[in-house]
Amino acid sequence: MKYFLTWFGGIVLGVAAALAALYYNPLTSGGGTAPNVASTLTLSYGFPEPNVLALSHNEQLKLAPIPEEIPLLWESGIDGTALSVLALADSEGQTMAVASRVSVPSLRTNLLLEGILVDDYWLITVADEGSLFVRAQSNYWPLFKETVVLVGYLRRPWSGPRRYAPTAGPRAGRFAEVIGATGRFAGRDGTAQEFLTLDRYSAAGGFESMHGQLLLALDEEPAP
Amino acid sequence: MKRLFVFGLIAGFAGTLAAAYWVPWFSYTRYASQTSVVANGGRAEQFVIRLPADRVYPLDQGVEETPESGGSEQPHAYVEHFKLRDTAGNVVGIAARHTLGEEQPATVWLLSIPSRGALMLDGGAVLPATIRALLVQQGWVPGEPWAGQLTLTDGARAESVATTNEFDGLAVELTETWTISGVSPSGELRGTIALNTVGRRGS
């Protein structure tokens, strides 16, 4: 018994040390939170109010579906996926675009080297201008550990507001990829970065107030 | 005794890190692709949307609605979101469609299939105004229920502008075929939308 307890004590201490190492792991903590993209288009949204038109997932997220009666994404082929429809605003707060965002937890997720990766696919239509896609790989580990782990599990008070830069790829330099589709975006590519400011989070209410910003840098318009 | 403690410590530390690296944190049911080979190369695959069951947002989108979304403060884009099925009826993904403009509408599709990747396509689509006009020709009176059989397709093909994961490197074309079997008094359509895709390598 004494030997078992000694061995078990070693295991517990080893696991605790590894969890601490994972929590403070610089490899998964993301980059800086200052934009390093010369934005040609900046789109903003408040989450969940006032810009979320629809939000559906499998109810594992601590977010109420919007509207309440929206069908949930519970089927095993799409389990874990989240769909949000956002009215995106320009820098003056005027709604200028509508976006469909499909967020798919990535099979590449690992907590040792990458973090919690989510493949984010945006389909954005800008009023009177056209549509474009944004393909992003986002690392939500920094956001997750400071909210769900720290506040949710460890019951620490929320120390926000906090700013996050979840974009981790797929382009080098932690940029998302922009693919122009129609209108003035047709044939144009570029890069994008997303920034989140989490204003309020609580163990009971989850993500209560957040603001997002999507910065897009597009190539020059092709000559007519 | 000390050795046993150190052994436990190392095992606990290494085991946790190994789990962090190797454990598959997410997984999706991967249904067999319902594909067939096409004669001149490439593979054909059909995806199906059942109406109204697979409509995710907007919920109340009917054939009587105007092609706008979200009220006067939103851009005049017609946005729709559906669950996407394979031909065996399994829900395999999510589809989003945006249409902008009325005279010369431009339509884009985003098809996300978590276990396989995503398709981003740009091209023609069957428009609500077209459906409305054809239904009226078939005897549908707005505000009243209708039952029958109406099949329509748009000759224009949507073409992929980007693909990911399993679809990476494929040039994919998509055509929509709507088969409408009924309209409710509120204008809600009953039927299916078949999305027929043909993917070819390396173009």
Side-chain angles (χ1 to χ4, degrees), chain A residues 10 72 75 79 87 100 105 125, chain B residues 4 9 20 28-29 74 81 83 98:
Chain A
L72 297 175
E75 292 89 346
D79 195 24
S100 303
T125 295
Chain B
L4 201 61
L9 189 79
Y28 303 96
T29 303
Q74 311 306 333
H81 303 82
K83 291 179 183 176
H98 288 200

Side-chain angles (χ1 to χ4, degrees), chain A residues 105-134:
Chain A
S106 172
L107 303 178
R108 283 187 50 221
T109 289
N110 85 65
L111 294 182
L112 188 61
L113 301 178
E114 306 275 1
I116 298 177
L117 296 183
V118 173
D119 292 323
D120 271 322
Y121 300 107
W122 295 75
L123 167 50
I124 301 170
T125 295
V126 180
D128 305 323
E129 295 193 15
S131 300
L132 55 85
F133 296 99
V134 178

Side-chain angles (χ1 to χ4, degrees), chain B residues 147-167:
Chain B
Q149 194 70 18
L150 175 65
T151 302
L152 64 155
T153 187
D154 184 357
R157 289 167 186 266
E159 293 181 356
S160 59
V161 292
T163 52
T164 70
N165 300 353
E166 193 179 296
F167 302 108

Side-chain angles (χ1 to χ4, degrees), chain A residues 46-134:
Chain A
F47 188 98
E49 296 291 333
N51 298 108
V52 180
L53 304 175
L55 174 67
S56 182
H57 48 79
N58 64 356
E59 283 201 311
Q60 285 176 357
L61 296 175
K62 228 174 179 177
L63 295 164
I66 300 170
E68 278 180 18
E69 62 274 22
I70 195 168
L72 297 175
L73 310 179
W74 57 269
E75 292 89 346
S76 61
I78 54 173
D79 195 24
T81 300
L83 167 71
S84 45
V85 185
L86 305 165
L88 299 173
D90 60 15
S91 53
E92 291 168 4
Q94 296 295 313
T95 300
M96 66 173 296
V98 63
S100 303
R101 178 184 194 169
V102 181
S103 303
V104 182
S106 172
L107 303 178
R108 283 187 50 221
T109 289
N110 85 65
L111 294 182
L112 188 61
L113 301 178
E114 306 275 1
I116 298 177
L117 296 183
V118 173
D119 292 323
D120 271 322
Y121 300 107
W122 295 75
L123 167 50
I124 301 170
T125 295
V126 180
D128 305 323
E129 295 193 15
S131 300
L132 55 85
F133 296 99
V134 178

Side-chain angles (χ1 to χ4, degrees), chain A residues 176-194:
Chain A
E177 183 179 16
V178 179
I179 305 121
T182 65
R184 82 169 175 100
F185 305 116
R188 296 172 71 186
D189 291 338
T191 55
Q193 283 184 306
E194 186 184 18

Side-chain angles (χ1 to χ4, degrees), chain B residues 32-37 43-46 87 116 166:
Chain B
S33 308
Q34 310 287 319
T35 56
S36 58
V37 177
R43 67 180 191 189
E45 185 168 11
Q46 188 184 67
T87 49
R116 296 174 62 189
E166 193 179 296

